[in-house]
């Protein structure tokens, strides 16, 4: 994962080939991403969007080809599942997420992140008692709390209302402005500048 | 270092908020042990001779029952992915999870074991030997069990599979533990056995978390 | 040949049954290990023919 | 030197090389096994203690040796796959497991049959038999994990990890079982000690062991070739066959 690249190129994907039970998902896929740019991965269900994102995140390792990040650690990944514990409250979940990043965050930073995803008042509610949409927003609150130059978001807008989508898009633009990189899979049309589209055929 | 403590605190918190996952194996341990006198008959000579074997096998099975809880919950709700992709090393978090899992399973059984030894008419030296043996043996079981749990993450019928994968690896601990109690009951010294158990423990502390961490990454890769 | 007659060879001083039983099982195991892969091979080749027919030649 | 290692690593070249060597290996294995069997059955003098039942040793010992070294070879293939991600090592591991398991089963059965005339009971908790039984469980574990993870791409790495973990534990299990055996039955004759055999007894044993090894490699190679065809059917060279 740790390979220093020259210039502003953050991600270099070379000839990624991936087969899943004898079915070729994608073959010889190569692309690169500069800092401050975004990549929207679209394609019908089962085209391998999630697999590609998991490959870029470093989770899925059963592929040929190379993925080189100009990055110390792993990207920030938000997958299909929200990634929050039902037994823990929103605040505890975010505290744990911060622990994983070695960032000691104060309580009001967490509350601030929660209010950004319009969950103020839900700080001490156990995630199990929340709706799926709220749980996903607790997961997405990580975007406001943790600092990681690269975000990989798999269908970030599912179960999110239109107002939430606008907020997240605006947050993504902020992140890109700060020389961050965002790779996300979604079929929604979102207004994000400096964005390339990658259509997965099949 | 604080990620280790944070992991232990988090896991213990989760265990106490959902005690069923922890209490069930302990109740299982209790029931299995009390089945044997019913099955074999209450004669003192027979019971005291099989006490060590029964208690150790019961602990073994109870540990196996409770081991996949350690990772399955986090795997199902996606938090294991976040841990694997966090900046903190997965090895330390795995180690913390194993410690917290041991505290709520093996450690408790080791503390309760003198009670059950009494049910089997074991003399006091035997009781102490069982408790010490279990204190040294159960962490090794949890460590080795965590490898099996990590390998079978995400499999539908993972529970039984863990037993098949991991039980053969428990045999050295079982042999040493039961032999230790046997020599204690006859009044011989059992420090040799205890040292061997400790050596196995140190070996699995060294290797098992490494294997578990790699196995988690393998299981997440799907 | 240390046995006088074929009968003695079969009987082997009372242990014949065990020795022949062991060698019988050994031959079975060896036969299984030789035949099973060959059958598998035929099955895979047939399967491949189907797959190639279905997916078209490279 | 590494060129050779990687060349062999590619399924295509392994397929060609093994195709060339296989007939010779099978023939040699057959010859060795037949001569060994005839020699063991017909020409080896009977043992003063066990009489003719000692002939079972000529099946039991090679099978037990193959069972153990089979597991080591399988685990080595696993380690190679985990470290260098050579696909052939994964195929080798997957194909070695069933052969090893059947040979361990053979070692167990022949050991039990050998026990019958010597001790009157089929199963005796002898150190070697017990560790062979545990080895059998390890094989079953590898096969069970493999079949449980069948649909998944990461099945190979998971089984390789299990095989390597099993390999690390193998000596520990062996010594603890041996120690346990001496603890409970210190005096009686055991299968494990190899009594110093006169030459006319261990020579056929050597022939049988070599025969078994060659048999193992040739059957292993056949399975690997089949699995290569199964996995690489999409490639050009496979379709041309």
């Amino acid at each position: 994962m740790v390979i220093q690249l020259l210039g502003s190129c953050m991600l270099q994907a070379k000839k990624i080939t991936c087969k899943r039970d004898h079915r070729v998902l994608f073959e010889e896929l190569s692309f690169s991403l500069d800092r401050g740019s975004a990549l929207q991965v679209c394609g019908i269900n089962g085209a391998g969007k999630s697999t590609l994102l998991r490959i870029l995140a470093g989770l899925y390792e059963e592929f040929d080809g190379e993925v080189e990040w100009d990055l110390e650690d792993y990207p920030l990944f938000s997958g299909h599942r929200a990634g929050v514990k039902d037994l823990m409250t929103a605040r505890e979940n975010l505290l744990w997420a911060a622990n994983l990043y070695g960032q000691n965050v104060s309580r009001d930073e967490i509350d601030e992140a929660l209010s950004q995803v319009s969950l103020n008042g839900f700080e001490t509610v156990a995630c199990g008692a929340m709706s799926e949409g709220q749980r996903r927003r607790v997961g997405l609150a990580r975007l406001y709390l943790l600092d990681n130059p690269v975000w990989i978001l798999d269908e970030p807008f599912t179960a999110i209302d239109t107002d939430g989508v606008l907020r997240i898009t605006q947050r993504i633009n902020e992140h890109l402005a700060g020389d961050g990189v965002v790779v996300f899979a979604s079929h929604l049309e979102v207004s994000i500048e400096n964005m390339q589209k990658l259509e997965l055929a099949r | 270092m604080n990620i280790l403590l944070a992991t232990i605190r988090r896991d213990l918190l989760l265990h106490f908020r959902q005690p069923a996952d922890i209490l069930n194996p302990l109740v299982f341990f209790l029931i299995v042990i009390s089945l044997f006198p019913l099955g074999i008959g209450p004669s003192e000579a027979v019971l005291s001779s099989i006490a060590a074997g029964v208690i150790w096998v019961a602990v073994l099975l109870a540990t196996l029952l409770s081991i996949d809880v350690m990772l399955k919950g986090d795997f199902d709700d996606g938090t294991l992915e976040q841990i694997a992709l966090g900046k903190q090393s997965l090895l330390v978090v795995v180690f913390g999870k194993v410690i917290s899992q041991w505290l709520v399973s093996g450690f408790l059984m080791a503390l309760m074991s003198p009670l059950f030894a009494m049910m089997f008419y074991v003399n006091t030296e035997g009781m102490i030997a069982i408790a010490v043996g279990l204190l040294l043996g159960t962490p090794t079981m949890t460590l080795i069990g965590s490898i099996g749990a990590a390998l079978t993450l995400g499999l539908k019928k993972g529970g039984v599979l863990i037993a098949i994968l991991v039980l053969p690896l428990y045999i050295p601990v079982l042999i040493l533990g039961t032999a230790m109690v046997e020599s204690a009951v006859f009044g011989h010294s059992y420090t040799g056995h205890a040292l061997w158990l400790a050596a196995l423990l140190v070996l699995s502390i060294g290797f098992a978390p490494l294997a578990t961490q790699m196995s988690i990454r393998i299981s997440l890769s799907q | 040949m240390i046995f006088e007659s074929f009968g003695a060879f079969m009987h082997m001083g009372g242990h014949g049954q065990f020795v022949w039983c062991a060698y019988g099982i050994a031959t079975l195991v060896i036969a299984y290990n030789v035949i099973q892969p060959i059958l598998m091979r035929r099955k895979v080749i047939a399967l491949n023919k189907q797959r190639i027919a279905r997916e078209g030649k490279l | 030197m590494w060129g050779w290692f990687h060349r062999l690593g590619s399924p295509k070249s392994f397929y060609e090389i093994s195709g060339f060597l296989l007939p010779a290996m099978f023939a040699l294995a057959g010859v060795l096994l037949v001569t060994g069997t005839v020699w063991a059955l017909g020409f080896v003098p009977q043992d003063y203690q066990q009489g003719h039942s000692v002939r079972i040793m000529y099946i039991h010992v090679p099978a037990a040796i193959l069972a153990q070294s089979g597991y080591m070879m399988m685990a080595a293939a696993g380690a190679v796959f985990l470290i260098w991600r050579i696909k052939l090592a994964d195929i080798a591991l997957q194909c070695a497991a069933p052969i090893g398991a059947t040979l361990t089963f053979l070692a167990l059965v022949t050991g039990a049959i050998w026990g019958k005339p010597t001790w009157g009971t089929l199963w005796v908790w002898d150190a070697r038999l017990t560790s062979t039984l545990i080895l059998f469980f390890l094989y079953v574990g590898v096969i069970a994990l493999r079949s449980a993870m069948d649909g998944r791409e990461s099945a190979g790495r998971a089984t390789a990890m299990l095989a390597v973990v099993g390999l690390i534990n193998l000596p520990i299990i062996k010594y603890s079982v041996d120690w346990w055996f001496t603890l409970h039955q210190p005096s009686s004759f055991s299968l494990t000690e190899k009594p110093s055999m006169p030459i006319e007894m261990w020579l056929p044993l050597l022939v049988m062991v070599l025969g078994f090894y060659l048999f193992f490699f040739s059957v292993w190679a056949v399975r690997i070739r089949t699995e290569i065809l199964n996995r690489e059917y999409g490639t050009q060279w496979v379709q041309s066959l």
Side-chain angles (χ1 to χ4, degrees), chain D residues 93-116:
Chain D
L93 179 136
Q94 179 185 345
C95 298
I99 311 173
T102 40
L103 285 179
T104 322
F105 173 74
L106 177 64
L108 277 175
V109 167
T110 47
I113 294 174
W114 193 3
K116 189 82 176 79

PDB file of all heavy atoms in Angstrom, chain D residues 93-116:
ATOM      1  N   LEU D  93      -2.085 -28.089  -2.879  1.00  0.00           N
ATOM      2  CA  LEU D  93      -2.614 -28.308  -1.524  1.00  0.00           C
ATOM      3  C   LEU D  93      -3.975 -28.972  -1.605  1.00  0.00           C
ATOM      4  O   LEU D  93      -4.251 -29.977  -0.948  1.00  0.00           O
ATOM      5  CB  LEU D  93      -2.732 -26.957  -0.812  1.00  0.00           C
ATOM      6  CG  LEU D  93      -3.281 -26.977   0.603  1.00  0.00           C
ATOM      7  CD1 LEU D  93      -2.470 -26.076   1.496  1.00  0.00           C
ATOM      8  CD2 LEU D  93      -4.735 -26.555   0.667  1.00  0.00           C
ATOM      9  N   GLN D  94      -4.824 -28.442  -2.481  1.00  0.00           N
ATOM     10  CA  GLN D  94      -6.187 -28.971  -2.567  1.00  0.00           C
ATOM     11  C   GLN D  94      -6.167 -30.439  -2.987  1.00  0.00           C
ATOM     12  O   GLN D  94      -6.933 -31.255  -2.498  1.00  0.00           O
ATOM     13  CB  GLN D  94      -6.964 -28.149  -3.597  1.00  0.00           C
ATOM     14  CG  GLN D  94      -8.375 -28.613  -3.793  1.00  0.00           C
ATOM     15  CD  GLN D  94      -9.075 -27.857  -4.902  1.00  0.00           C
ATOM     16  OE1 GLN D  94      -8.604 -26.814  -5.338  1.00  0.00           O
ATOM     17  NE2 GLN D  94     -10.174 -28.396  -5.379  1.00  0.00           N
ATOM     18  N   CYS D  95      -5.214 -30.820  -3.852  1.00  0.00           N
ATOM     19  CA  CYS D  95      -5.193 -32.197  -4.353  1.00  0.00           C
ATOM     20  C   CYS D  95      -4.499 -33.140  -3.386  1.00  0.00           C
ATOM     21  O   CYS D  95      -4.760 -34.343  -3.401  1.00  0.00           O
ATOM     22  CB  CYS D  95      -4.486 -32.232  -5.705  1.00  0.00           C
ATOM     23  SG  CYS D  95      -5.329 -31.249  -6.943  1.00  0.00           S
ATOM     24  N   ALA D  96      -3.613 -32.615  -2.556  1.00  0.00           N
ATOM     25  CA  ALA D  96      -2.866 -33.510  -1.661  1.00  0.00           C
ATOM     26  C   ALA D  96      -3.758 -33.983  -0.520  1.00  0.00           C
ATOM     27  O   ALA D  96      -3.618 -35.108  -0.026  1.00  0.00           O
ATOM     28  CB  ALA D  96      -1.644 -32.778  -1.105  1.00  0.00           C
ATOM     29  N   ALA D  97      -4.712 -33.153  -0.108  1.00  0.00           N
ATOM     30  CA  ALA D  97      -5.498 -33.477   1.094  1.00  0.00           C
ATOM     31  C   ALA D  97      -6.210 -34.826   0.982  1.00  0.00           C
ATOM     32  O   ALA D  97      -6.043 -35.683   1.857  1.00  0.00           O
ATOM     33  CB  ALA D  97      -6.496 -32.355   1.365  1.00  0.00           C
ATOM     34  N   PRO D  98      -6.962 -35.096  -0.074  1.00  0.00           N
ATOM     35  CA  PRO D  98      -7.662 -36.392  -0.087  1.00  0.00           C
ATOM     36  C   PRO D  98      -6.713 -37.589  -0.105  1.00  0.00           C
ATOM     37  O   PRO D  98      -6.959 -38.587   0.565  1.00  0.00           O
ATOM     38  CB  PRO D  98      -8.501 -36.330  -1.373  1.00  0.00           C
ATOM     39  CG  PRO D  98      -8.126 -35.113  -2.101  1.00  0.00           C
ATOM     40  CD  PRO D  98      -7.328 -34.252  -1.212  1.00  0.00           C
ATOM     41  N   ILE D  99      -5.589 -37.470  -0.848  1.00  0.00           N
ATOM     42  CA  ILE D  99      -4.661 -38.613  -0.898  1.00  0.00           C
ATOM     43  C   ILE D  99      -4.111 -38.854   0.508  1.00  0.00           C
ATOM     44  O   ILE D  99      -4.117 -39.962   1.038  1.00  0.00           O
ATOM     45  CB  ILE D  99      -3.507 -38.331  -1.882  1.00  0.00           C
ATOM     46  CG1 ILE D  99      -4.027 -37.830  -3.231  1.00  0.00           C
ATOM     47  CG2 ILE D  99      -2.661 -39.566  -2.064  1.00  0.00           C
ATOM     48  CD1 ILE D  99      -2.949 -37.373  -4.166  1.00  0.00           C
ATOM     49  N   GLY D 100      -3.688 -37.767   1.149  1.00  0.00           N
ATOM     50  CA  GLY D 100      -3.141 -37.898   2.507  1.00  0.00           C
ATOM     51  C   GLY D 100      -4.148 -38.505   3.449  1.00  0.00           C
ATOM     52  O   GLY D 100      -3.836 -39.398   4.244  1.00  0.00           O
ATOM     53  N   ALA D 101      -5.408 -38.057   3.328  1.00  0.00           N
ATOM     54  CA  ALA D 101      -6.442 -38.553   4.247  1.00  0.00           C
ATOM     55  C   ALA D 101      -6.646 -40.050   4.039  1.00  0.00           C
ATOM     56  O   ALA D 101      -6.698 -40.829   4.998  1.00  0.00           O
ATOM     57  CB  ALA D 101      -7.739 -37.789   3.991  1.00  0.00           C
ATOM     58  N   THR D 102      -6.704 -40.484   2.772  1.00  0.00           N
ATOM     59  CA  THR D 102      -6.941 -41.918   2.535  1.00  0.00           C
ATOM     60  C   THR D 102      -5.760 -42.733   3.049  1.00  0.00           C
ATOM     61  O   THR D 102      -5.929 -43.801   3.631  1.00  0.00           O
ATOM     62  CB  THR D 102      -7.125 -42.177   1.029  1.00  0.00           C
ATOM     63  OG1 THR D 102      -6.207 -41.376   0.323  1.00  0.00           O
ATOM     64  CG2 THR D 102      -8.516 -41.889   0.584  1.00  0.00           C
ATOM     65  N   LEU D 103      -4.539 -42.208   2.871  1.00  0.00           N
ATOM     66  CA  LEU D 103      -3.374 -42.975   3.350  1.00  0.00           C
ATOM     67  C   LEU D 103      -3.362 -43.019   4.869  1.00  0.00           C
ATOM     68  O   LEU D 103      -3.044 -44.046   5.476  1.00  0.00           O
ATOM     69  CB  LEU D 103      -2.084 -42.348   2.827  1.00  0.00           C
ATOM     70  CG  LEU D 103      -1.790 -42.622   1.337  1.00  0.00           C
ATOM     71  CD1 LEU D 103      -0.516 -41.944   0.906  1.00  0.00           C
ATOM     72  CD2 LEU D 103      -1.716 -44.114   1.088  1.00  0.00           C
ATOM     73  N   THR D 104      -3.767 -41.926   5.516  1.00  0.00           N
ATOM     74  CA  THR D 104      -3.838 -41.954   6.994  1.00  0.00           C
ATOM     75  C   THR D 104      -4.866 -42.982   7.423  1.00  0.00           C
ATOM     76  O   THR D 104      -4.648 -43.761   8.353  1.00  0.00           O
ATOM     77  CB  THR D 104      -4.262 -40.555   7.509  1.00  0.00           C
ATOM     78  OG1 THR D 104      -3.640 -39.566   6.711  1.00  0.00           O
ATOM     79  CG2 THR D 104      -3.850 -40.372   8.939  1.00  0.00           C
ATOM     80  N   PHE D 105      -5.979 -42.999   6.715  1.00  0.00           N
ATOM     81  CA  PHE D 105      -7.014 -43.997   7.035  1.00  0.00           C
ATOM     82  C   PHE D 105      -6.438 -45.402   6.873  1.00  0.00           C
ATOM     83  O   PHE D 105      -6.610 -46.277   7.740  1.00  0.00           O
ATOM     84  CB  PHE D 105      -8.205 -43.793   6.091  1.00  0.00           C
ATOM     85  CG  PHE D 105      -9.251 -44.861   6.201  1.00  0.00           C
ATOM     86  CD1 PHE D 105     -10.104 -44.889   7.297  1.00  0.00           C
ATOM     87  CD2 PHE D 105      -9.373 -45.844   5.232  1.00  0.00           C
ATOM     88  CE1 PHE D 105     -11.063 -45.882   7.426  1.00  0.00           C
ATOM     89  CE2 PHE D 105     -10.337 -46.838   5.344  1.00  0.00           C
ATOM     90  CZ  PHE D 105     -11.179 -46.864   6.439  1.00  0.00           C
ATOM     91  N   LEU D 106      -5.687 -45.595   5.806  1.00  0.00           N
ATOM     92  CA  LEU D 106      -5.074 -46.916   5.586  1.00  0.00           C
ATOM     93  C   LEU D 106      -4.137 -47.255   6.742  1.00  0.00           C
ATOM     94  O   LEU D 106      -4.174 -48.361   7.292  1.00  0.00           O
ATOM     95  CB  LEU D 106      -4.294 -46.900   4.266  1.00  0.00           C
ATOM     96  CG  LEU D 106      -3.539 -48.192   3.932  1.00  0.00           C
ATOM     97  CD1 LEU D 106      -4.508 -49.355   3.737  1.00  0.00           C
ATOM     98  CD2 LEU D 106      -2.687 -48.003   2.676  1.00  0.00           C
ATOM     99  N   ALA D 107      -3.346 -46.269   7.166  1.00  0.00           N
ATOM    100  CA  ALA D 107      -2.397 -46.516   8.268  1.00  0.00           C
ATOM    101  C   ALA D 107      -3.171 -46.893   9.531  1.00  0.00           C
ATOM    102  O   ALA D 107      -2.813 -47.840  10.242  1.00  0.00           O
ATOM    103  CB  ALA D 107      -1.571 -45.260   8.515  1.00  0.00           C
ATOM    104  N   LEU D 108      -4.282 -46.217   9.765  1.00  0.00           N
ATOM    105  CA  LEU D 108      -5.084 -46.501  10.976  1.00  0.00           C
ATOM    106  C   LEU D 108      -5.633 -47.921  10.909  1.00  0.00           C
ATOM    107  O   LEU D 108      -5.503 -48.720  11.842  1.00  0.00           O
ATOM    108  CB  LEU D 108      -6.246 -45.503  11.061  1.00  0.00           C
ATOM    109  CG  LEU D 108      -5.938 -44.139  11.668  1.00  0.00           C
ATOM    110  CD1 LEU D 108      -7.141 -43.241  11.577  1.00  0.00           C
ATOM    111  CD2 LEU D 108      -5.485 -44.293  13.108  1.00  0.00           C
ATOM    112  N   VAL D 109      -6.233 -48.246   9.755  1.00  0.00           N
ATOM    113  CA  VAL D 109      -6.887 -49.564   9.650  1.00  0.00           C
ATOM    114  C   VAL D 109      -5.850 -50.678   9.775  1.00  0.00           C
ATOM    115  O   VAL D 109      -6.009 -51.625  10.553  1.00  0.00           O
ATOM    116  CB  VAL D 109      -7.638 -49.652   8.300  1.00  0.00           C
ATOM    117  CG1 VAL D 109      -8.043 -51.072   8.012  1.00  0.00           C
ATOM    118  CG2 VAL D 109      -8.837 -48.724   8.335  1.00  0.00           C
ATOM    119  N   THR D 110      -4.751 -50.533   9.043  1.00  0.00           N
ATOM    120  CA  THR D 110      -3.744 -51.605   9.109  1.00  0.00           C
ATOM    121  C   THR D 110      -3.141 -51.664  10.504  1.00  0.00           C
ATOM    122  O   THR D 110      -2.861 -52.746  11.030  1.00  0.00           O
ATOM    123  CB  THR D 110      -2.634 -51.338   8.075  1.00  0.00           C
ATOM    124  OG1 THR D 110      -2.247 -49.971   8.192  1.00  0.00           O
ATOM    125  CG2 THR D 110      -3.106 -51.616   6.677  1.00  0.00           C
ATOM    126  N   GLY D 111      -2.990 -50.504  11.163  1.00  0.00           N
ATOM    127  CA  GLY D 111      -2.470 -50.524  12.533  1.00  0.00           C
ATOM    128  C   GLY D 111      -3.408 -51.287  13.446  1.00  0.00           C
ATOM    129  O   GLY D 111      -2.992 -52.121  14.268  1.00  0.00           O
ATOM    130  N   ALA D 112      -4.704 -51.060  13.256  1.00  0.00           N
ATOM    131  CA  ALA D 112      -5.685 -51.743  14.111  1.00  0.00           C
ATOM    132  C   ALA D 112      -5.645 -53.247  13.827  1.00  0.00           C
ATOM    133  O   ALA D 112      -5.583 -54.077  14.747  1.00  0.00           O
ATOM    134  CB  ALA D 112      -7.074 -51.181  13.821  1.00  0.00           C
ATOM    135  N   ILE D 113      -5.619 -53.602  12.529  1.00  0.00           N
ATOM    136  CA  ILE D 113      -5.600 -55.041  12.170  1.00  0.00           C
ATOM    137  C   ILE D 113      -4.348 -55.689  12.740  1.00  0.00           C
ATOM    138  O   ILE D 113      -4.372 -56.815  13.253  1.00  0.00           O
ATOM    139  CB  ILE D 113      -5.665 -55.196  10.640  1.00  0.00           C
ATOM    140  CG1 ILE D 113      -7.011 -54.699  10.118  1.00  0.00           C
ATOM    141  CG2 ILE D 113      -5.446 -56.639  10.228  1.00  0.00           C
ATOM    142  CD1 ILE D 113      -7.123 -54.671   8.615  1.00  0.00           C
ATOM    143  N   TRP D 114      -3.242 -54.948  12.681  1.00  0.00           N
ATOM    144  CA  TRP D 114      -1.987 -55.495  13.205  1.00  0.00           C
ATOM    145  C   TRP D 114      -2.107 -55.702  14.723  1.00  0.00           C
ATOM    146  O   TRP D 114      -1.586 -56.654  15.288  1.00  0.00           O
ATOM    147  CB  TRP D 114      -0.857 -54.498  12.896  1.00  0.00           C
ATOM    148  CG  TRP D 114       0.508 -55.069  13.110  1.00  0.00           C
ATOM    149  CD1 TRP D 114       0.814 -56.338  13.476  1.00  0.00           C
ATOM    150  CD2 TRP D 114       1.732 -54.353  12.964  1.00  0.00           C
ATOM    151  NE1 TRP D 114       2.167 -56.462  13.569  1.00  0.00           N
ATOM    152  CE2 TRP D 114       2.756 -55.267  13.255  1.00  0.00           C
ATOM    153  CE3 TRP D 114       2.062 -53.044  12.614  1.00  0.00           C
ATOM    154  CZ2 TRP D 114       4.094 -54.907  13.211  1.00  0.00           C
ATOM    155  CZ3 TRP D 114       3.405 -52.693  12.574  1.00  0.00           C
ATOM    156  CH2 TRP D 114       4.414 -53.625  12.864  1.00  0.00           C
ATOM    157  N   GLY D 115      -2.888 -54.850  15.377  1.00  0.00           N
ATOM    158  CA  GLY D 115      -3.035 -54.960  16.837  1.00  0.00           C
ATOM    159  C   GLY D 115      -3.797 -56.208  17.236  1.00  0.00           C
ATOM    160  O   GLY D 115      -3.588 -56.777  18.305  1.00  0.00           O
ATOM    161  N   LYS D 116      -4.708 -56.635  16.347  1.00  0.00           N
ATOM    162  CA  LYS D 116      -5.618 -57.742  16.729  1.00  0.00           C
ATOM    163  C   LYS D 116      -4.831 -58.980  17.139  1.00  0.00           C
ATOM    164  O   LYS D 116      -4.965 -59.428  18.285  1.00  0.00           O
ATOM    165  CB  LYS D 116      -6.536 -58.044  15.531  1.00  0.00           C
ATOM    166  CG  LYS D 116      -7.661 -59.018  15.890  1.00  0.00           C
ATOM    167  CD  LYS D 116      -8.831 -58.302  16.554  1.00  0.00           C
ATOM    168  CE  LYS D 116     -10.006 -59.232  16.824  1.00  0.00           C
ATOM    169  NZ  LYS D 116      -9.781 -60.072  18.038  1.00  0.00           N
TER     170      LYS D 116
END
